[in-house]
Amino acid sequence: MYRHIFMNKWVLGGIGFLILLSIACVVWYQHDIADEKKAAAEAEELLRQSEIAKKVSNADSRAEQAADETTAESTTPTAEKQKFDTTAEVEKDGILNETDAILTQQTQEADKEVRVSPYGFGPYPKLPPGFPENYWDTRSKNKEAELLGRVQIKLIEQGKNVLGASMQNGLVYPSIPGTIYVEWDGVGTERYVAGILGDPFTIYSIPGYSPGLKLTEKDIPAGIEVINYPNGGIDPYQFLGLKE
């Protein structure tokens, strides 16, 4: 009987130990699981916050990009408009300047075209190359000077190498290189130069020539064309087709 009781005590003790052990395991498991759950929850919270921060960052980036695009879109037309306005203004100024230049040139040409002789000789002829622009300003003050200028220009237009001209007794004697006009005076059978006109360089190229010194016909080189004065003179009114 006692043996059975003893045996029962050991059995009961074992059972009790097992129960205590089971309870301890359960408590330990619960405690261990609680720590893991807490760590998992904390990790999950960190992950969630990271995702939220990433979404916010992406949203900010998209907003900033949209703002940049909006700024670029709003700025570009303004810049292009300013460029267009500036270009248009430059083109406008260029056109105005060119127009003014054309009008000025036309006015100057018109002034030249409408300029006429104060002596009733009509419009002035066009000046040949090399003539000064104020040529007619200096010639218009004297009727004879204007006639000389008109005859000289017409001869140049005909291809003559005219360097100048002089007027004697209403006739024009053009100065042409290599040509002189000589008035002779005879003494016996010898002829002397009583007067001479023409190109000064040709006259002074005659050996021994000086004003007041009598030259004979033999003193004039053969290469110089001698025209007996008053022959060779040009009637300016007849030559130019003008009325006196």
Side-chain angles (χ1 to χ4, degrees):
M1 181 178 180
Y2 290 105
R3 182 179 179 181
H4 289 295
I5 293 172
F6 179 78
M7 290 298 294
N8 288 337
K9 287 181 179 181
W10 279 103
V11 171
L12 292 175
I15 293 172
F17 175 77
L18 290 174
I19 293 172
L20 291 175
L21 180 61
S22 299
I23 293 172
C25 288
V26 170
V27 172
W28 176 84
Y29 176 77
Q30 290 293 335
H31 177 75
D32 188 52
I33 291 301
D35 292 337
E36 291 181 357
K37 286 183 177 180
K38 182 178 179 181
E42 291 177 353
E44 184 178 357
E45 180 65 20
L46 290 175
L47 179 61
R48 186 177 67 84
Q49 291 179 358
S50 176
E51 291 177 353
I52 292 173
K54 183 177 181 181
K55 290 180 180 180
V56 171
S57 177
N58 292 337
D60 291 340
S61 298
R62 287 195 296 270
E64 184 178 355
Q65 182 178 1
D68 292 340
E69 292 177 354
T70 302
T71 303
E73 291 176 357
S74 62
T75 303
T76 302
T78 302
E80 291 179 353
K81 184 176 184 300
Q82 291 176 351
K83 181 179 179 181
F84 174 78
D85 292 342
T86 303
T87 304
E89 189 68 24
V90 171
E91 292 178 353
K92 180 180 178 182
D93 292 341
I95 293 173
L96 290 176
N97 292 337
E98 184 177 356
T99 303
D100 291 341
I102 293 174
L103 291 176
T104 301
Q105 182 179 0
Q106 290 176 348
T107 302
Q108 293 175 350
E109 292 177 354
D111 291 341
K112 292 179 181 179
E113 291 176 358
V114 299
R115 291 190 63 184
V116 296
S117 167
Y119 308 107
F121 299 149
Y124 291 118
K126 183 179 179 181
L127 295 175
F131 276 60
E133 294 184 358
N134 64 341
Y135 182 79
W136 292 120
D137 294 334
T138 59
R139 295 276 172 167
S140 62
K141 298 178 181 179
N142 183 279
K143 184 178 182 179
E144 182 177 298
E146 183 177 329
L147 286 172
L148 286 171
R150 287 175 176 268
V151 171
Q152 181 180 348
I153 289 175
K154 186 172 181 178
L155 289 172
I156 291 175
E157 291 175 348
Q158 293 177 349
K160 304 291 179 62
N161 184 18
V162 182
L163 302 179
S166 61
M167 184 173 283
Q168 299 288 331
N169 300 322
L171 297 179
V172 177
Y173 293 87
S175 297
I176 300 174
T179 301
I180 59 175
Y181 307 91
V182 177
E183 184 179 10
W184 298 104
D185 185 14
V187 178
T189 59
E190 191 73 35
R191 291 200 308 175
Y192 292 87
V193 175
I196 187 170
L197 292 173
D199 175 36
F201 294 100
T202 302
I203 294 174
Y204 280 91
S205 69
I206 299 174
Y209 171 80
S210 64
L213 180 65
K214 289 187 177 181
L215 296 175
T216 65
E217 188 174 5
K218 296 178 181 179
D219 293 329
I220 301 175
I224 296 177
E225 181 183 0
V226 179
I227 300 176
N228 293 338
Y229 181 84
N231 296 333
I234 299 174
D235 185 334
Y237 292 96
Q238 182 179 358
F239 182 69
L240 297 171
L242 301 175
K243 293 182 180 181
E244 296 188 38

